[in-house]
Amino acid sequence: MMFSKSCEYAIRAAVYIAGESSISNKVSIVQIAHAIDSPKHFTGKILQTLSRKKIISSLRGPHGGFYIDNDSSVFLIDIIRAIDGDELFTSCVLGLKKCSDIKTCPVHEQIQPIRNQLTIEFSKKSLNEMILDVKQNKYFLK
Amino acid sequence: MMFSKSCEYAIRAAVYIAGESSISNKVSIVQIAHAIDSPKHFTGKILQTLSRKKIISSLRGPHGGFYIDNDSSVFLIDIIRAIDGDELFTSCVLGLKKCSDIKTCPVHEQIQPIRNQLTIEFSKKSLNEMILDVKQNKYFLK
DNA sequence: AGGGTAAAGGATAATTTTGTCTTTTATTAT
DNA sequence: ATAATAAAAGACAAAATTATCCTTTACCCT
Ligand code: FES
Ligand code: FES
């Protein structure tokens, strides 16, 4: 698995929220969990984290829920870093204490360029970009 | 994490075994665990799996241990598949039930080429290739 | 002000992964 | 044959991840 289950839910939820919400039209956990087919309470926990890290916003009370202010400034890598940290991009794939160019494991040279490519792609990909085709049923969240 | 802890140990152990053993000079779990800095018994379990899947060989009794017949025919991807399966290469990174080109998630198009690249690199990389530089302390296993 | 709504937060539980320990089995050397 | 050795196998334990439930807090509407 490239991402943890939590991170998978986080990304799918964020894309849904970005696509369906605005400051004046928030979405509830129930809606989100239904839309992305995820466990309701667990999803709540994860969104709580994203909210604390200022990636999404939330408001309690009636007509409360989750929403995103400006979805074009949130990138995929922000979500990944918020949930899984950046060990996918920086720590040794073979589990050596430290991944550096000085003391490398036998797959470092192969992995490093691919990992850089991953970082670049995830850094380029904004939520805004992703929601477009989801609305036209070109991409799916469940 | 790209690989499970088990898979990390498996790869490091396999490289060590390939480099240090032959049919006439097997290595014990104790030696392996020491060389790659891994929990002894847990490593034993993992090597048992590799052994059952014919990736490495083992023999009990005095002067028994683990060894590899022809290390040039074992590729990194074989070890990964034996321990983690091939979900890293084939299942949806966002956790959709199925990853296919027909019903794709919003990151499929970015991920697919990178994942193919990963598959290619791991398929090319033989144990034999990896041990060379380990012996000259260019690469490390702990 | 007060009642209803929805996220936040905390406690708890199930599951999976990781790790340890002990017994059994196979092999070798004496 | 017997004793010593080393992996195989199974039982058990700890930790992390995933998931559920319940209470509290904030917010809105009447
Ligand atoms: S040292 Fe292993 S990936 Fe860099
Ligand atoms: S559908 Fe998600 S990676 Fe292919």
Side-chain angles (χ1 to χ4, degrees), chain B residues 28-29 45 48 58 60-62:
Chain B
S28 72
I29 294 183
K45 282 266 142 102
Q48 210 173 302
S58 69
R60 301 181 190 188

Side-chain angles (χ1 to χ4, degrees), chain A residues 16-29:
Chain A
Y16 176 75
I17 295 169
E20 297 298 318
S21 81
S22 65
I23 182 103
S24 58
N25 183 29
K26 309 176 187 68
V27 292
S28 72
I29 294 185

Side-chain angles (χ1 to χ4, degrees), chain B residues 110-123:
Chain B
Q110 272 73 38
I111 281 286
Q112 200 54 23
I114 296 178
R115 240 168 19 171
N116 287 343
Q117 187 59 27
L118 260 187
T119 312
I120 289 167
E121 292 293 341
F122 292 155
S123 299

Side-chain angles (χ1 to χ4, degrees), chain A residues 92-94 96 98-100 103-105 108 111-112 115:
Chain A
C92 174
V93 291
L94 294 196
L96 301 197
K98 220 167 150 299
C99 167
S100 78
K103 191 178 172 183
T104 72
C105 73
H108 181 89
I111 281 287
Q112 199 55 22
R115 241 170 16 171

Side-chain angles (χ1 to χ4, degrees), chain A residues 28-29 45 58 60-62 66:
Chain A
S28 72
I29 294 185
K45 279 271 140 98
S58 69
R60 302 182 190 188
F66 295 95

Side-chain angles (χ1 to χ4, degrees), chain A residues 140, chain B residues 90-96 98-101 103-109 111-112 115:
Chain A
F140 298 86
Chain B
T90 62
S91 70
C92 175
V93 291
L94 294 195
L96 301 196
K98 222 167 150 297
C99 168
S100 77
D101 291 329
K103 190 178 172 182
T104 71
C105 73
V107 295
H108 181 89
E109 286 182 29
I111 281 286
Q112 200 54 23
R115 240 168 19 171

Side-chain angles (χ1 to χ4, degrees), chain B residues 62-102:
Chain B
H63 303 109
F66 295 94
Y67 63 101
I68 293 191
D69 300 305
N70 49 345
D71 45 29
S72 58
S73 73
V74 175
F75 293 85
L76 194 48
I77 199 158
D78 301 324
I79 300 171
I80 297 166
R81 287 225 165 93
I83 304 296
D84 282 352
D86 64 358
E87 59 147 16
L88 175 63
F89 310 110
T90 62
S91 70
C92 175
V93 291
L94 294 195
L96 301 196
K97 304 268 184 311
K98 222 167 150 297
C99 168
S100 77
D101 291 329
I102 297 151

Side-chain angles (χ1 to χ4, degrees), chain A residues 5 14 24 31 39 51 59 67 94 98 106 132 139:
Chain A
K5 218 93 193 71
S24 58
Q31 283 179 279
S51 179
L59 211 64
Y67 63 102
L94 294 196
K98 220 167 150 299
L132 295 174
Y139 297 145

